[in-house]
């Protein structure tokens, strides 16, 4: 089978420099125990951090390190020459697909978020022990890299979690799982985060998968072996991202000039976009996720069981809604599969730390309504007092302004140090000082409030209450042998 490239929520960093080589190191003591409910025991000793090349932007400002932890996860670290004593632990997005840990992922993310090191913070990130879905596994590997940093460089004065895209889900899960441990974490920064969790956070991609097939009939084609669309892609298929792209173009002409599309292609495209609410510019990436990452979740992580449903969903916005709803494929979730995906990735809202979020209002990948889901989740747990949400008028998912990243981290740090909770307006007002240095702009909209998640993503029957998984459910499910997604 041809393995497609990364097909997760975000792309790799757009600002590239040299790719540091991973330097082999002498074996060190095995990292302490297992983490949370991820129970796979380490099979090797962890490598101590070893000096490596820094990204060009940090070459004269920091010392960088790489290594591999006891579970096989590659990691990168950076300590600025003028370290302010605090640490940012970063959770990357995706999920990337593949069987092994990618040593380049954390070093590329260091290049992308070099602004945090430039601001004086040490930085550490795991590439996770394998590709594919697994929020708790990724949270455990994120906690692992924090422990490794502390063992090598001492306990920081303060430690902050940062996650972007799917990494926002991972960081939020890490905060709930490890944030109660004294001295572990002091605050959380979530940027363009996928905060609706796994069991509801991908419903719009479920809808895309079935609506696309209704109009296009080529994924699979009538001449190909059939399979239920909730699989994303049948096991053993050799389809590549290029092949999927060709089918999307064949049906919709999405990559062609509108003048070159046939009338049928234009109508197919218009109907798919209108019904799903997915922006045209990210249609392909969403369909990739609903193909390759769905296959990873269903086939590789849930043993072929279906965690999704579209029963009771009425699709609207097409040129013929009656025909669409009569003809679209319908299915119901396997309760154990839904439970396992929920336990792995849904959030209880029981976060004991200050949480600051930053989200582009026009994020075309992780819709801004994820923030409404997260606020409702914390409110349902009685923890929304720990949350400040900020929004910007940007249109990107994978990269926001460095001025805003620096400003957000400073606002969180001030909140933690002083106990004075900022407001969206005060965060917006403080950005100009950072923009004077980075010059990438401050685009805050302090008066913005996202619509409820259900206003963007059609809820399934009974799917309006938050949190999706309560703390009581989490405790009960934790006692079920084999619950969740194996690391």
């Amino acid at each position: 089978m041809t393995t497609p490239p990364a097909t997760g929520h975000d792309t790799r960093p757009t600002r590239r420099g040299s790719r540091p080589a991973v330097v082999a190191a002498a074996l060190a003591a095995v990292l302490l125990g297992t983490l949370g409910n991820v129970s796979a025991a380490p099979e090797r000793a962890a490598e101590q951090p070893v000096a490596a090349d820094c990204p060009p932007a940090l070459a004269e400002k920091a010392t960088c390190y790489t290594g591999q932890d006891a579970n096989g996860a590659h990691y990168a670290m950076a300590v600025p020459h003028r370290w302010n004593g605090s640490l940012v632990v970063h959770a990357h997005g995706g999920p990337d697909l593949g069987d092994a840990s990618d040593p380049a992922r954390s070093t590329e993310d260091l290049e992308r978020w070099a602004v945090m090191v430039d601001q004086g913070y040490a930085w550490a990130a795991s590439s996770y022990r394998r590709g594919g879905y697994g929020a708790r596994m990724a949270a455990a590997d994120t906690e692992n890299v924090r422990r490794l940093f502390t063992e090598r460089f001492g306990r920081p004065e303060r430690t902050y979690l940062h996650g972007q895209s799917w990494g926002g889900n991972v960081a939020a899960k890490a905060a709930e799982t490890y944030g109660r441990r004294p001295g572990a974490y002091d605050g959380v920064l979530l940027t363009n985060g996928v905060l609706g969790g796994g069991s509801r956070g991908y419903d719009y991609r479920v809808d895309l998968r079935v609506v696309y097939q209704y109009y296009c009939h080529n994924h699979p084609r009538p001449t190909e072996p059939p399979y239920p669309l909730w699989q994303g892609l049948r096991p053993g298929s050799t389809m590549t991202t290029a092949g999927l792209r060709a089918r999307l173009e064949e049906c919709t002409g999405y990559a062609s000039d509108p003048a070159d599309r046939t009338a049928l292609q234009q109508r197919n495209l218009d109907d798919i976009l209108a019904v799903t609410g997915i922006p045209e510019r990210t249609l392909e990436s969403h369909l990739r996720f609903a193909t390759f990452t769905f296959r990873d979740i269903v086939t590789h992580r849930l043993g072929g069981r279906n965690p999704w449903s579209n029963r009771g969903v009425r699709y609207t916005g097409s040129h013929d809604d009656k025909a669409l709803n009569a003809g679209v494929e319908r299915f119901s979730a396997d309760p154990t599969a839904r439970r396992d995906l929920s336990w792995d990735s849904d959030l209880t809202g029981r976060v004991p730390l200050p949480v600051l979020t930053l989200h582009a209002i026009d994020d075309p990948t992780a819709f801004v309504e994820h923030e409404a889901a997260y606020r409702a989740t914390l409110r349902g747990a009685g923890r929304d007092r720990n949350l400040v949400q900020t929004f910007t008028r940007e249109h990107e998912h994978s990269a926001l302004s460095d001025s805003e990243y620096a400003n957000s981290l400073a606002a969180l740090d001030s909140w933690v140090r002083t106990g004075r909770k900022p407001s969206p307006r005060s965060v917006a007002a403080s950005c100009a000082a950072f923009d004077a240095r980075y010059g990438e702009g401050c685009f805050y909209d302090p008066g913005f409030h996202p619509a409820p998640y259900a206003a963007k993503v059609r809820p399934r029957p009974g799917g309006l209450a938050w949190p999706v998984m309560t703390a009581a459910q989490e405790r009960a499910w934790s006692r079920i042998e084999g619950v969740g997604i194996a690391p």
Side-chain angles (χ1 to χ4, degrees), residues 285-466:
S285 66
H286 285 290
L287 189 59
R288 284 204 316 267
F289 193 102
T291 299
F292 300 110
T293 306
F294 274 21
R295 177 175 62 180
D296 175 76
I297 293 172
V298 170
T299 302
H300 300 150
R301 312 304 161 199
L302 295 175
R305 294 171 295 147
N306 172 30
W308 293 298
S309 172
N310 69 339
R311 296 283 182 191
V313 175
R314 175 162 177 78
Y315 298 107
T316 59
S318 73
H319 76 279
D320 188 343
D321 290 345
K322 183 178 180 180
L324 171 62
N325 283 281
V328 75
E329 183 175 317
R330 302 281 182 174
F331 40 79
S332 297
D334 179 318
T336 64
R338 190 164 185 84
R339 176 204 67 199
D340 287 353
L341 182 59
S342 180
W343 189 85
D344 179 77
S345 59
D346 286 339
L347 302 169
T348 67
R350 290 183 59 81
V351 57
L353 307 168
V355 182
L356 178 66
T357 72
L358 173 70
H359 212 118
I361 294 169
D362 193 29
D363 184 337
T365 299
F367 301 141
V368 73
E369 288 81 7
H370 275 276
E371 296 287 341
Y374 192 56
R375 178 167 286 281
T377 296
L378 268 63
R379 184 182 296 120
R383 300 298 177 92
D384 53 321
R385 65 184 180 277
N386 292 339
L387 178 65
V388 174
Q389 293 174 299
T390 63
F391 302 94
T392 73
R393 294 181 298 276
E394 288 163 288
H395 309 281
E396 300 303 324
H397 172 68
S398 297
L400 301 175
S401 163
D402 275 356
S403 306
E404 294 165 352
Y405 284 124
N407 180 52
S408 297
L409 190 53
L412 177 63
D413 181 60
S414 177
W415 183 6
V416 169
R417 286 187 293 103
T418 67
R420 292 192 294 271
K421 184 178 178 179
S423 68
R425 197 163 298 279
S426 71
V427 174
S430 62
C431 185
F434 295 93
D435 198 42
R437 177 167 182 170
Y438 297 106
E440 294 195 359
C442 298
F443 306 98
Y444 291 95
D445 184 346
F448 178 81
H449 298 281
Y453 189 72
K456 181 69 174 181
V457 182
R458 290 176 174 83
R460 278 51 183 159
L464 292 174
W466 301 87

Side-chain angles (χ1 to χ4, degrees), residues 14 37 66 158 175 368 380:
T14 55
N37 292 301
T66 57
R158 285 170 293 276
V368 73

